[in-house]
Amino acid sequence: MTRRSGVLVLLAALLVLVVTALRPGPVAGTAAAEPVPGPPAAGECVSEPVQQYPGYGGGTGQTYVYPQLTVAPCTGPRFAEVVSVLDAPAQPQIVAQGSSLNISDPNQAACRTAVHDYLGTAVTVDPAGVIWSTVTTVEVSVTRPASRQEAAGQRWLACLAAARGPTLPGQEPAPYDGTLRDAIATGAARDRIGACATAPDLDTAYPAAACSRPHTVQLLATTRDLPAGTPIATVSDGCRWTAERLTGLPDVTAAGALTVRVVVSVDGRTVTGDVLPADAAVACGLGTVGGRTLGGGLVGLGAAPLPWI
């Protein structure tokens, strides 16, 4: 009996030694914090709704606050894409006037240019040397670093392009699939980013919804690059040339089914005449003849059939 007790005591001691040996000991080295990620890359995506244009946050007292949005590699539907990163963004100028704040943000122009470049074929230059700016419903926004990145000293701003899609102006944007990179040049997103409306003419067609909605007119480009006194015939020729380049249609009138439309305005009011007045803005587009309805965009359509409804 005494011997058995001694054996049991010996086994218990051995078990204590084994358990002690299995316990992890101290690990050499020091603990390291997870690295802070750097700025996003062009082409990465935002998977949450972004602020509508101009999308540059709001003024709080005398401090201009940009939004913070989560940016990650693209997977599935997205609300916006990173088109560029401003490494040293300018400081917005804030001027208080009574109870309101007037904000001048130089980063707005930089982001707008970056979005146009990302979309591809932002401008066309007609044979007369006139610059026509392509019109889309893509909205420009921005995001600043996350709180952890700001704590690490990061101060960049990421310029974002957001395709509103079939929603109307004033409504929340819808998510989309695919990329907006070179969307104008390729026509890949023509239905989503084109500026289309059912309207008697271009002067009431913008702001417009995407071209996936039924429409009779599409606004293609605008210019302020024409001097006063320019004949309207010359303006129309430049518009036609621009429409041909943007749509790729072999016959921009589609054998008479479409017509080139030009609207001239001064201070937002439509004007008519044989020559351009001073300070004129010119809108260029294509409209259907006879009230026929289109269900898709025309940019980059090429030789494909017109998207009649």
Side-chain angles (χ1 to χ4, degrees):
M1 190 71 177
T2 302
R3 185 176 180 183
R4 181 178 298 175
S5 298
V7 171
L8 291 174
V9 170
L10 178 61
L11 288 175
L14 289 174
L15 285 173
V16 170
L17 289 175
V18 170
V19 170
T20 302
L22 291 177
R23 288 177 181 169
V27 178
T30 57
E34 183 181 355
V36 178
E44 291 190 326
C45 290
V46 174
S47 58
E48 58 184 303
V50 301
Q51 195 169 1
Q52 295 182 17
Y53 179 80
Y56 287 94
T60 303
Q62 296 296 310
T63 303
Y64 198 54
V65 180
Y66 292 99
Q68 286 178 311
L69 300 168
T70 302
V71 181
C74 300
T75 55
R78 69 289 313 260
F79 284 87
E81 297 170 42
V82 176
V83 302
S84 71
V85 175
L86 305 180
D87 295 323
Q91 180 64 40
Q93 300 298 313
I94 303 174
V95 178
Q97 291 185 342
S99 60
S100 63
L101 294 175
N102 289 334
I103 302 172
S104 174
D105 184 5
N107 301 312
Q108 177 178 345
C111 283
R112 184 188 294 275
T113 298
V115 168
H116 285 172
D117 291 343
Y118 190 82
L119 295 176
T121 318
V123 299
T124 58
V125 182
D126 70 20
V130 177
I131 297 174
W132 296 83
S133 299
T134 306
V135 175
T136 72
T137 57
V138 174
E139 295 178 342
V140 181
S141 191
V142 72
T143 183
R144 75 180 201 264
S147 298
R148 188 162 174 259
Q149 292 172 311
E150 287 185 334
Q154 298 184 31
R155 294 294 182 267
W156 46 264
L157 287 177
C159 300
L160 305 176
R164 171 161 294 279
T167 53
L168 293 168
Q171 294 178 327
E172 288 300 315
Y176 61 93
D177 292 305
T179 180
L180 298 179
R181 191 188 296 271
D182 295 326
I184 297 174
T186 63
R190 68 176 67 91
D191 295 350
R192 176 170 288 275
I193 70 172
C196 294
T198 297
D201 220 325
L202 295 179
D203 55 346
T204 56
Y206 192 77
C211 294
S212 53
R213 288 181 177 273
H215 59 275
T216 57
V217 63
Q218 179 168 356
L219 177 59
L220 294 172
T222 60
T223 186
R224 288 181 174 270
D225 200 32
L226 287 157
T230 301
I232 293 299
T234 301
V235 178
S236 297
D237 289 342
C239 174
R240 182 186 183 98
W241 187 93
T242 298
E244 289 173 347
R245 296 305 179 276
L246 288 176
T247 64
L249 293 171
D251 173 8
V252 77
T253 68
L258 301 175
T259 181
V260 176
R261 295 189 179 180
V262 171
V263 172
V264 179
S265 62
V266 176
D267 295 331
R269 295 183 179 182
T270 303
V271 297
T272 59
D274 296 329
V275 298
L276 285 185
D279 300 321
V282 179
C284 168
L286 290 174
T288 63
V289 174
R292 293 190 68 179
T293 303
L294 292 166
L298 301 175
V299 171
L301 190 63
L306 293 181
W308 297 116
I309 292 179

